[in-house]
Amino acid sequence: MINFKEKIAEILASSIEGLSIEEIIDMLEIPTESKMGDYAFPCFKLAKVLRKAPPMIAQGIAEKLQGNEIFEKVENVNAYVNMFLSRKVFVRELVCAVAADKECFGSSDIGQNRKVVVEFSSPNIAKPFHIGHIRSTVIGNSIYKIYDFLGYNTVRINHLGDYGTQFGKMIVSYRRWGNEEDVTREPIKTLLSYYVKFHEEAENDPSLEDEARDVFTKLENGEQEETRLWQWFRDESLKEFTRVYQMLGIEFDSYAGESFYSDKMDWIVDMLKDAKLLKESEGAQIVDLEEHNMSPALITKKDGSTLYITRDIAAAVYRKNHYDFYKNLYIVASQQNLHFQQWIKIIELLGFDWARDCVHIPFGLVSLEEGTMSTRHGRVVFLEEVLTRAVNQTKEIILQKNVNTDNLDATARQVGIGAVIFQELSNNRIKDYVFSWDKVLNFEGETGPYVQYTHARAASVLRNGGDSANQIIASADQANMDFIAGDSAYELAKLIYRFPEIILDAAEKYEPSIVTRHIVNIAQSFNKFYHDEHILVKNEEEKKAKLLLVYAAKQTIKNGLALLGMEAPERM
RNA sequence: GCGCCCAUAGCUCAGCUGGAUAGAGUCGCGCACUACGAAUGCGAAGGUCGGGGGUUCGAAUCCCUCUGGGCGCACCA
């Protein structure tokens, strides 16, 4: 597909002295309103260099550009050179590109197969998968999809919270108050109850905390009985997590969690020691980060057992050795900002220049109307329940609307779960939000079902279009673009055209919501086009051209949804 | 106390590497199903961009400061 921005920059470069094409590309803007053109070039900055008033400069440039065949019109308004592309040229380019690329439209080989490790989801074993976990899970999955689409060689890692003192607590609690049957029957709920029980009891009997730490140390030393219990808890928990991942359609390449690094702790501690970074303080081993304006990082406790920062350092070094990553991404809550700053700094102090390739991608807090979520106090909303309710509601709506779907259950799943995913990816990830049933079960306005509905509607038009859509797509270049050069068709085409650059932007900023917002815009624009113009007209030539644009919109929405981890039903 | 983040329409949010009259959705109001799917579309209404300084031809956007809120700061993860 022609890069019009680049092309315009080339043309401009020949009529402006002293500016490179790259500089011009940076300066080119898309005007706030389309009546001001498709691209605009502001001339204010040139005033000093050229020693002329900006409007004069703009006037001069506009005159030089006049008559170039890719422009329909070029005018000078308020020191801006406003450029209107030839609609026919533009729309032909776009529609043919989508027809040729299909499910690859928007993809790229910019990644050159370089390795990108994405760590996401990473729930704690033996705790329920609640609405707070959805963020890392869904954002991470989307970032993985985006990088994959851009030609990177991606690795998805679920860094399970399957280690640490909490397992000491769990084991202590199980031995005192638990039994095997309950765990087997309902693993997570039961294990959670042990965890809660532990904390209740520990309030009156602080020695339990020491006992738990002691048990964890045994676990870390590989004692048989502790290891067996831990392994059992882990296996049972993973079964439940897998069920949620299946509902969400999410997979991982590795479940190497914290425990995976347990035998690499000495290695890391020695490495830190050799680098003279370790210091003893109150019986613990720390890395002093004062000169980097951070509090010290605790590497080992006074009893010698490790902390999660030790395991994160080990994980990073292991991943560099094992994957030789180009980028190592962590989709983890913003509460852990300091933790990441600390260990990435330690990696740097160890002399590893790849510290800069480790990126913490934080996101905001989810809370409930009652307050912060707390597993211990039972203030949680289970993710599985959210997904199930969304699916059930979708089913009701479909039955109400009496639409013919091939498979009610499958469609309700795609739409209901899609609604939850879409909402999660609608806002900037850094924002905190309060979970609300009303909001998550609302399917009108800027929602997942709205975008999927638009896709299904476009699919319906294509089905009703007569000639097979494939035939029309195959001969895209022969279409008469006059029929899709009207205002609403052109606006739609422009949005679709920007899809590839939107994905690049989303990747660069690690921000899936950029994709989400854009496909909402495409859906809105499509619906407007749909209302403004009759598509299935008698005139075959006109109908074919319009169907091509419908196809382009449908395919782009589908590709966009896929990047969010959502499906695009043909009917709903 | 120190550090990081957030503040834009009644509500939820875009826009933030400076550019033209600050945009959506939602709530409420008024319209449109005898064209291809009304989970839709159209219209009107809704703003001291938290306050105050500064930089600039130009600031929601950059800098300083204040206010309000969130998160974090040693043996949890």
Side-chain angles (χ1 to χ4, degrees):
Chain A
M1 193 163 63
I2 295 177
N3 185 333
F4 283 97
K5 208 170 182 177
E6 233 168 64
K7 188 141 191 178
I8 289 170
E10 282 168 26
I11 296 168
L12 279 169
S14 63
S15 48
I16 307 169
E17 277 172 42
L19 280 183
S20 71
I21 291 174
E22 286 70 29
E23 285 169 317
I24 295 173
I25 288 176
D26 272 353
M27 289 169 75
L28 274 174
E29 293 171 15
I30 293 176
T32 43
E33 277 181 71
S34 52
K35 67 177 178 204
M36 299 188 287
D38 302 315
Y39 290 92
F41 184 76
C43 297
F44 307 98
K45 281 178 186 151
L46 297 177
K48 270 184 195 158
V49 194
L50 299 180
R51 301 178 158 279
K52 260 164 68 174
M56 299 281 293
I57 301 168
Q59 184 61 36
I61 295 172
E63 276 165 18
K64 281 189 198 166
L65 262 45
Q66 225 44 267
N68 191 304
E69 60 179 6
I70 81 159
F71 297 121
E72 213 149 78
K73 185 167 68 166
V74 181
E75 53 187 27
N76 153 37
V77 182
N78 302 331
Y80 284 89
V81 182
N82 285 347
M83 293 160 275
F84 297 77
L85 290 174
S86 157
R87 290 189 176 189
K88 273 201 283 185
V89 170
F90 181 85
V91 168
R92 172 179 304 282
E93 188 62 25
L94 180 268
V95 146
C96 290
V98 184
D101 293 349
K102 301 186 176 66
E103 66 279 353
C104 295
F105 178 67
S107 70
S108 154
D109 55 6
I110 197 171
Q112 299 172 348
N113 215 32
R114 284 172 295 190
K115 188 84 87 186
V116 173
V117 174
V118 190
E119 176 189 305
F120 64 104
S121 197
S122 312
N124 286 332
I125 293 293
K127 286 198 195 166
F129 208 104
H130 60 70
I131 189 69
H133 294 113
I134 195 179
R135 304 213 71 182
S136 174
T137 306
V138 165
I139 293 169
N141 188 52
S142 179
I143 289 175
Y144 142 71
K145 298 247 181 201
I146 289 169
Y147 273 83
D148 201 59
F149 204 52
L150 292 178
Y152 290 91
N153 183 356
T154 47
V155 182
R156 295 162 290 182
I157 298 184
N158 194 335
H159 190 74
L160 292 172
D162 59 359
Y163 223 54
T165 311
Q166 49 175 337
F167 286 91
K169 294 177 182 176
M170 201 78 69
I171 289 169
V172 167
S173 191
Y174 171 76
R175 281 176 176 158
R176 292 190 173 223
W177 309 291
N179 68 76
E180 191 174 336
E181 293 157 44
D182 288 350
V183 177
T184 311
R185 184 165 36 82
E186 214 172 23
I188 292 199
K189 282 223 169 91
T190 305
L191 291 170
L192 175 63
S193 75
Y194 295 164
Y195 188 73
V196 172
K197 174 88 173 164
F198 179 90
H199 284 281
E200 281 167 9
E201 298 286 331
E203 271 187 36
N204 302 319
D205 181 5
S207 73
L208 282 173
E209 299 274 0
D210 290 330
E211 193 182 332
R213 276 192 279 270
D214 186 49
V215 169
F216 173 58
T217 308
K218 284 185 177 164
L219 176 60
E220 199 160 29
N221 293 334
E223 302 257 348
Q224 224 176 16
E225 187 53 23
E226 280 74 14
T227 306
R228 186 188 68 80
L229 282 173
W230 166 80
Q231 184 70 49
W232 176 44
F233 293 162
R234 188 183 192 271
D235 291 347
E236 293 296 333
S237 299
L238 212 47
K239 277 187 208 159
E240 291 211 30
F241 293 159
T242 306
R243 205 169 59 228
V244 177
Y245 290 135
Q246 272 171 357
M247 287 174 89
L248 289 167
I250 290 177
E251 293 174 359
F252 294 92
D253 301 304
S254 162
Y255 282 90
E258 292 189 60
S259 64
F260 178 79
Y261 301 97
S262 65
D263 62 356
K264 299 167 184 65
M265 293 296 93
D266 292 344
W267 173 53
I268 285 300
V269 171
D270 289 345
M271 198 183 282
L272 290 165
K273 216 175 277 174
D274 292 347
K276 309 234 184 305
L277 290 171
L278 276 190
K279 224 164 99 173
E280 199 184 303
S281 170
E282 295 169 39
Q285 298 285 325
I286 66 161
V287 176
D288 191 343
L289 294 169
E290 201 178 346
E291 57 178 299
H292 304 286
N293 293 320
M294 282 183 264
S295 47
L298 258 186
I299 302 297
T300 63
K301 298 187 261 188
K302 59 186 166 204
D303 65 5
S305 61
T306 59
L307 287 117
Y308 83 136
I309 197 164
T310 327
R311 296 189 278 276
D312 264 339
I313 295 168
V317 177
Y318 172 84
R319 282 177 202 171
K320 185 62 192 178
N321 293 343
H322 192 259
Y323 297 112
D324 191 24
F325 54 73
Y326 164 72
K327 280 208 183 306
N328 184 23
L329 311 179
Y330 295 83
I331 292 79
V332 179
S334 64
Q335 288 149 329
Q336 299 200 27
N337 279 352
L338 176 62
H339 166 74
F340 277 91
Q341 277 170 25
Q342 286 178 321
W343 77 249
I344 291 173
K345 176 56 78 179
I346 291 172
I347 292 285
E348 191 189 313
L349 293 174
L350 280 168
F352 296 124
D353 60 351
W354 48 264
R356 60 166 188 270
D357 302 325
C358 298
V359 185
H360 176 213
I361 300 166
F363 53 82
L365 190 82
V366 190
S367 54
L368 303 180
E369 273 146 8
E370 309 89 273
T372 318
M373 234 173 310
S374 166
T375 313
R376 276 187 220 173
H377 298 98
R379 278 203 309 270
V380 280
V381 174
F382 299 105
L383 182 52
E384 194 167 358
E385 189 190 346
V386 174
L387 297 177
T388 308
R389 277 177 68 170
V391 170
N392 288 341
Q393 173 163 321
T394 308
K395 217 176 276 184
E396 275 174 40
I397 294 174
I398 294 174
L399 291 171
Q400 227 175 63
K401 306 220 180 254
N402 203 21
V403 185
N404 170 29
T405 56
D406 315 335
N407 187 336
L408 176 67
D409 285 334
T411 308
R413 232 198 61 238
Q414 292 174 350
V415 177
I417 289 173
V420 178
I421 294 174
F422 193 91
Q423 206 205 24
E424 182 56 48
L425 297 177
S426 288
N427 297 340
N428 285 352
R429 34 166 242 277
I430 201 65
K431 299 265 180 179
D432 293 344
Y433 72 88
V434 178
F435 174 82
S436 133
W437 280 107
D438 285 348
K439 217 174 160 188
V440 83
L441 296 178
N442 171 38
F443 293 174
E444 273 156 32
E446 296 170 329
T447 63
Y450 169 75
V451 175
Q452 286 173 322
Y453 169 81
T454 306
H455 175 269
R457 193 188 221 184
S460 171
V461 176
L462 286 168
R463 277 195 302 272
N464 297 334
D467 293 316
S468 96
N470 288 336
Q471 232 172 308
I472 296 170
I473 294 158
S475 51
D477 54 328
Q478 284 153 42
N480 183 342
M481 303 301 164
D482 285 336
F483 294 110
I484 43 176
D487 285 348
S488 46
Y490 187 55
E491 287 308 311
L492 174 58
K494 280 203 281 187
L495 285 173
I496 297 170
Y497 175 82
R498 291 189 54 202
F499 184 66
E501 65 187 73
I502 287 286
I503 296 169
L504 289 172
D505 192 34
E508 196 179 320
K509 297 185 171 129
Y510 308 110
E511 189 60 87
S513 67
I514 293 173
V515 175
T516 314
R517 300 244 154 223
H518 193 70
I519 58 177
V520 167
N521 290 340
I522 291 175
Q524 285 171 336
S525 186
F526 173 82
N527 283 320
K528 183 160 171 49
F529 166 67
Y530 177 92
H531 278 268
D532 287 354
E533 306 229 18
H534 188 191
I535 295 160
L536 300 180
V537 290
K538 291 226 170 70
N539 180 339
E540 280 295 314
E541 211 185 355
E542 179 176 352
K543 186 175 81 179
K544 277 187 185 171
K546 286 178 169 174
L547 282 174
L548 267 175
L549 185 60
V550 171
Y551 168 77
K554 173 185 178 287
Q555 188 63 50
T556 306
I557 289 173
K558 187 172 183 174
N559 294 1
L561 288 172
L563 292 177
L564 304 179
M566 289 170 59
E567 297 185 66
E570 295 289 311
R571 300 169 209 262
M572 62 185 270

